[in-house]
Amino acid sequence: MSPIDALRAIHEELWDAERGMDRFARGVVPGVDISALNLHAVRETALGAFLDLDDGNTTRAVTAIRSVLATQYPASDWPWSGTFPVTAEQHDPPGADAIEWFHYDPNWRQFIGCILALTVIHHGADLPDDVRSGIDTALLRCVHGEPDDRIAPWYTNPNLMHAWLLGYVGETTGDTDLRAAGEQRVEQIMERFDRFGDIDEYNSPTYDGIDLFALALWAAHAPTPMYQRSGGLVLARLGARISTLYHPRLGAMCGPYIRAYGLDLQRYVSLAGIWLHVAGESPETILPVGVDQDTVHVHDLYFLPLVQRLAPVVVGHLGLRTVTSPRQHVQRFGQSCAESLLREHLGVGWEYGRRHDDSLDQYVPFTAHLDVDDGPTAIGIMVPEETAWIDVRRVADLAFEVRATGRDDRVGLRIVFGSDAIVGTDRITVGPVEVRFEAQPDALAQKRTPIGGEIHVGWNTDAAVAHITIG
């Protein structure tokens, strides 16, 4: 079954006609029977409506959009003004005690705002007047509810979306202040892009996909010429980097990753995988086989119809090139440096010098993808909560030194992998990759996850050193 047909089947299975929304797929929270909670997903309902409009199922799409619009928080002085709940059943934020990301997701302004705007662009003529006016009101709430300084300059994906949304709403309503605010945000984004040569949210199998989505909006539906010009420049750079780091033989994006949900594109749905599929890659290479509602991170498959619509301005920048000779890529961000090496049978990435706290549990400063006798395998080093930062440096051809600094006299490493690991007292081996510790860990815990295995090693000290060799 093709990915788009798999999405149609999932959408049919999850659609709740009585509520007028899509339920959450079980793969959103692997290992938990989320279906028993009967929760309804606001973002995926909006995306499902776009699919229905593409397929001519206008009645159901209109019902879904009305349901989504009814969930939006009203305009107010609270920091969640104009955003949307993640689920229709989510309680309103508890006033001054509300915690960002727990009681509300501020980025839903950008995600759902862009989805609704693109729905109007492609299907506005099919929508009743009350739905069109409801979307217009919702978009105004999205842009006016967003605090000017909430999105940090380095926070790429909502920044790109919000810049476009400001310009789009400003242009369509004739609000020159909004349009100017959008262009000012574009200028700030481009200043950082010109300084570093890439986006801050560097090399993420999920967030690269969101960035391509937002930049495609800049280029395909430019509110002003600045968006089209700037979007084309950044798309070309991201496309070149993704094309360099994608290893078709391994079906992998070479690391290191600033943010990742897993190492193997075949184990969970990633937006980078969806873009590569639309660019011509076989879905079996970059998406899980037999996608259904139990597939990990399956909710991102709902973006496929929008990606297909925006593909003409993106796929020309994505090259699916077999690795027949070595490739290297180096990216610096101030004091940090990310390096990647691809050869015919492997892809290795490492980074040093990065000091940050945001989304640290998704940061992967070392990755190795290899083609072994049993097929592709992968291993990565991640950051547990007791660790402040990790530096990985290359010390020989396929040898690396890992230095970790901890917090409160504790330090640790999360070693994630796609195949079986051999665990010793001072080393862990995954295929031809050996991770040896200079000091024997004081604690070691191993578990299986829906996307592979994980070993958490820890020391009762403030620093640890490990050595990685690839045989």
Side-chain angles (χ1 to χ4, degrees):
M1 185 183 297
S2 69
I4 192 66
D5 286 336
L7 175 59
R8 290 188 177 105
I10 293 166
H11 181 35
E12 290 296 331
E13 183 180 1
L14 296 177
W15 174 254
D16 181 350
E18 183 176 348
R19 182 63 180 83
M21 300 186 76
D22 276 33
R23 298 182 181 89
F24 267 108
R26 288 189 293 267
V28 175
V29 188
V32 177
D33 185 10
I34 196 171
S35 60
L37 300 176
N38 198 32
L39 300 175
H40 296 84
V42 176
R43 186 185 71 169
E44 284 65 55
T45 296
L47 291 167
F50 193 97
L51 172 65
D52 279 341
L53 288 165
D54 274 356
D55 288 345
N57 194 346
T58 304
T59 300
R60 185 165 72 178
V62 167
T63 297
I65 295 171
R66 285 181 175 139
S67 297
V68 168
L69 294 174
T71 69
Q72 188 180 26
Y73 296 124
S76 70
D77 293 330
W78 292 110
W80 54 86
S81 172
T83 193
F84 294 78
V86 176
T87 75
E89 293 74 21
Q90 187 171 340
H91 295 296
D92 288 345
D97 294 327
I99 300 171
E100 189 179 57
W101 309 115
F102 182 75
H103 291 109
Y104 65 97
D105 189 328
N107 289 348
W108 253 222
R109 295 184 189 99
Q110 287 74 46
F111 275 98
I112 298 176
C114 288
I115 293 164
L116 292 175
L118 195 60
T119 299
V120 170
I121 289 170
H122 287 287
H123 296 292
D126 300 323
L127 301 176
D129 289 345
D130 71 295
V131 173
R132 282 291 304 270
S133 63
I135 291 175
D136 291 343
T137 299
L139 296 181
L140 285 169
R141 288 181 185 172
C142 286
V143 295
H144 288 299
E146 177 64 48
D148 291 338
D149 58 354
R150 198 271 303 181
I151 303 173
W154 51 261
Y155 197 6
T156 307
N157 78 88
N159 216 3
L160 293 174
M161 288 188 287
H162 191 60
W164 180 80
L165 204 55
L166 283 166
Y168 171 80
V169 175
E171 186 66 17
T172 55
T173 63
D175 188 325
T176 56
D177 289 339
L178 283 179
R179 188 172 58 193
E183 289 195 333
Q184 182 180 20
R185 194 168 287 259
V186 171
E187 289 178 355
Q188 293 168 347
I189 291 169
M190 294 306 294
E191 187 277 327
R192 292 185 71 86
F193 174 76
D194 292 339
R195 189 193 320 168
F196 297 126
D198 209 316
I199 56 175
D200 290 86
E201 213 166 47
Y202 171 79
N203 199 29
S204 165
T206 289
Y207 294 97
D208 270 343
I210 290 295
D211 296 335
L212 291 176
F213 166 73
L215 290 165
L217 291 173
W218 286 26
H221 304 292
T224 70
M226 174 188 285
Y227 285 86
Q228 188 172 45
R229 181 173 61 254
S230 301
L233 289 172
V234 186
L235 276 173
R237 177 60 180 176
L238 262 65
R241 187 245 296 157
I242 291 170
S243 301
T244 296
L245 297 185
Y246 176 58
H247 199 308
R249 177 170 181 165
L250 302 174
M253 295 299 306
C254 185
Y257 306 133
I258 185 64
R259 296 180 70 182
Y261 293 102
L263 298 175
D264 300 325
L265 299 183
Q266 302 92 342
R267 289 179 179 264
Y268 73 105
V269 176
S270 71
L271 284 163
I274 291 172
W275 279 107
L276 290 167
H277 161 58
V278 172
E281 185 61 286
S282 169
E284 290 79 12
T285 304
I286 38 73
L287 292 170
V289 175
V291 175
D292 58 25
Q293 74 146 310
D294 289 297
T295 302
V296 176
H297 225 248
V298 70
H299 45 293
D300 275 358
L301 188 66
Y302 274 76
F303 273 94
L304 178 54
L306 282 69
V307 168
Q308 290 175 327
R309 287 282 188 166
L310 294 168
V313 296
V314 176
V315 295
H317 298 293
L318 298 176
L320 308 175
R321 298 179 285 115
T322 302
V323 181
T324 56
S325 58
R327 298 180 194 167
Q328 289 185 286
H329 186 77
V330 178
Q331 177 62 51
R332 296 184 181 275
F333 296 93
Q335 298 300 311
S336 69
C337 180
E339 300 189 47
S340 306
L341 170 67
L342 290 80
R343 293 176 181 167
E344 185 177 358
H345 300 282
L346 62 83
V348 185
W350 62 98
E351 186 173 62
Y352 56 86
R354 186 176 290 277
R355 305 290 182 262
H356 71 296
D357 294 314
D358 296 279
S359 302
L360 201 59
D361 60 330
Q362 298 171 1
Y363 177 46
V364 196
F366 176 85
T367 66
H369 293 84
L370 305 107
D371 189 8
V372 296
D373 291 341
D374 296 333
T377 190
I379 182 173
I381 303 292
M382 299 185 71
V383 186
E385 63 180 9
E386 70 270 21
T387 298
W389 52 264
I390 294 175
D391 279 345
V392 185
R393 296 178 185 267
R394 189 183 186 188
V395 295
D397 182 38
L398 292 177
F400 305 86
E401 181 182 79
V402 180
R403 289 188 173 272
T405 294
R407 312 174 194 268
D408 301 323
D409 295 325
R410 294 176 61 234
V411 69
L413 298 172
R414 290 169 58 201
I415 300 171
V416 294
F417 48 91
S419 58
D420 292 336
I422 300 172
V423 182
T425 57
D426 67 343
R427 67 195 65 203
I428 294 170
T429 304
V430 176
V433 183
E434 180 183 85
V435 183
R436 179 177 57 83
F437 312 117
E438 284 197 356
Q440 184 173 328
D442 296 302
L444 185 150
Q446 185 171 359
K447 65 179 181 180
R448 298 298 301 179
T449 74
I451 53 176
E454 179 173 323
I455 298 173
H456 185 168
V457 293
W459 293 266
N460 298 325
T461 182
D462 60 2
V465 179
H467 301 274
I468 302 174
T469 55
I470 302 175

